[in-house]
Amino acid sequence: FASPYSWIAAERIERLAAGASVKVRWRPFVIGPILRQRPHNPSPTQDAPPAQKKYRRRDVERICAREGLALKWPSTYPRNGLLAARVALTLESRARREFSLAVFRANFVQDQEVSEPTIIAGLLADMGRDAAADLARAQAPENKVALAAAVEEAIGKGIFGAPSVIVGKELFWGNDRLDQAIGWARAPWT
Amino acid sequence: FASPYSWIAAERIERLAAGASVKVRWRPFVIGPILRQRPHNPSPTQDAPPAQKKYRRRDVERICAREGLALKWPSTYPRNGLLAARVALTLESRARREFSLAVFRANFVQDQEVSEPTIIAGLLADMGRDAAADLARAQAPENKVALAAAVEEAIGKGIFGAPSVIVGKELFWGNDRLDQAIGWARAPWT
């Protein structure tokens, strides 16, 4: 939920998939434990040299402008997405998608502090849900264990970054690979 | 010359540019001095965790299969491209393009040791050139200085990786951004 490229991919994937008659299953995980295993660069923001950081901002802005996404840079970066991931994991597929997009937009369009339970509760209430019950389920010990298991499953499938899309046994990493992932789901070319 | 993504971009860019009536100017530089400035990851191969290294191989193979490029993984990686860059810098635009593609293909299709002067001389001879004269010009002190200046110019323009394409003041990084670079050259969208 902290990655602008994950947000862009989340906005794009359903549209691309619908056009190709491909079904998307949203799978929440958190990237922190994966990045912290990096020997050279364990930082949660994948610390880059200044030139590359500057480039990333411009790259995201260009892509958003092209995709018609109303980016407003988060005043805090990265925002901790742990609670949101825990909530997303408890939701069924349609609600999970709707909630995930709401969290991404709160972070990247409305500059809201999505690490805060009150903000997450507000997003759930906007969906017509019982936010208190959702948050309680999200924070229950068994759901924390379930999210840790989801991270392990992601690692087991070769995931090292976000966003990632898996089609069969094939991993595609990044917003830049959405088109290939959809293409592969329709007809693998190798 | 050591980067498979740079090879793929080199193969693709003229085709994309021709279709869009955009003119491409090839500018050789070397990435080693730029990568060595990275605080977290100064390795010339941009050392990645095992999962990401494995992914990169598969990613390159998928892209090559899709683009019809006859990839054969180099038995040595990365091959030092310093001599090839020095030669490329001495060549005029058409010869520079032809030579650069020949070096990339020698490395990524024929698995030749492109760091070796004899291999580079062979590629130049295949172009009908006086290879001995070309190598002498390439290794002349003033040309070594000129390549160092090209690296400084690249850094000054915000380049931090390869391949990079600059359109006006706009930097595009990676084979994944060729389409945007061409699009920007035709009509900037922001």
Side-chain angles (χ1 to χ4, degrees), chain B residues 45-182:
Chain B
T45 52
Q46 298 184 267
D47 263 355
Q52 189 164 1
K53 276 190 182 156
K54 186 181 163 200
Y55 173 82
R56 267 191 212 153
R57 279 186 74 96
R58 183 66 180 147
D59 185 49
V60 168
E61 287 165 1
R62 281 193 309 233
I63 295 172
C64 287
R66 213 178 199 194
E67 298 286 338
L69 298 173
L71 169 70
K72 181 178 172 193
W73 282 109
S75 50
T76 304
Y77 176 79
R79 286 195 170 119
N80 192 317
L82 180 59
L83 175 61
R86 284 176 175 163
V87 171
L89 192 64
T90 68
L91 302 176
E92 294 306 316
S93 61
R94 256 179 87 164
R96 181 182 284 179
R97 173 182 173 274
E98 187 184 346
F99 172 76
S100 298
L101 281 170
V103 174
F104 276 124
R105 291 170 187 171
N107 193 19
F108 289 108
V109 180
Q110 288 114 28
D111 189 20
Q112 292 180 28
E113 190 44 81
V114 295
S115 64
E116 290 292 336
T118 51
I119 299 293
I120 296 297
L123 299 176
L124 290 163
D126 288 347
M127 289 168 64
R129 299 183 61 89
D130 180 340
D134 282 340
L135 286 179
R137 269 201 304 158
Q139 301 283 42
E142 58 267 31
N143 191 55
K144 295 182 180 179
V145 169
L147 184 59
V151 172
E152 287 307 311
E153 187 185 347
I155 292 170
K157 289 182 170 178
I159 285 177
F160 55 88
S164 286
V165 178
I166 291 177
V167 184
K169 291 183 181 290
E170 210 73 23
L171 171 64
F172 297 87
W173 173 52
N175 174 58
D176 294 330
R177 290 292 174 278
L178 288 195
D179 300 87
Q180 284 190 22
I182 299 291

Side-chain angles (χ1 to χ4, degrees), chain A residues 11-59:
Chain A
E11 296 281 1
R12 293 178 61 224
I13 187 125
E14 294 281 347
R15 187 169 13 111
L16 288 173
S21 303
V22 167
K23 200 175 167 187
V24 177
R25 189 173 162 216
W26 292 53
R27 307 287 307 273
F29 68 104
V30 284
I31 197 72
I34 297 175
L35 297 181
R36 282 193 290 274
Q37 286 177 5
R38 289 177 166 246
H40 282 281
N41 189 354
S43 85
T45 51
Q46 299 184 266
D47 262 355
Q52 188 163 1
K53 277 190 181 157
K54 186 181 163 200
Y55 174 81
R56 267 191 211 154
R57 279 185 75 96
R58 182 66 180 147
D59 186 49

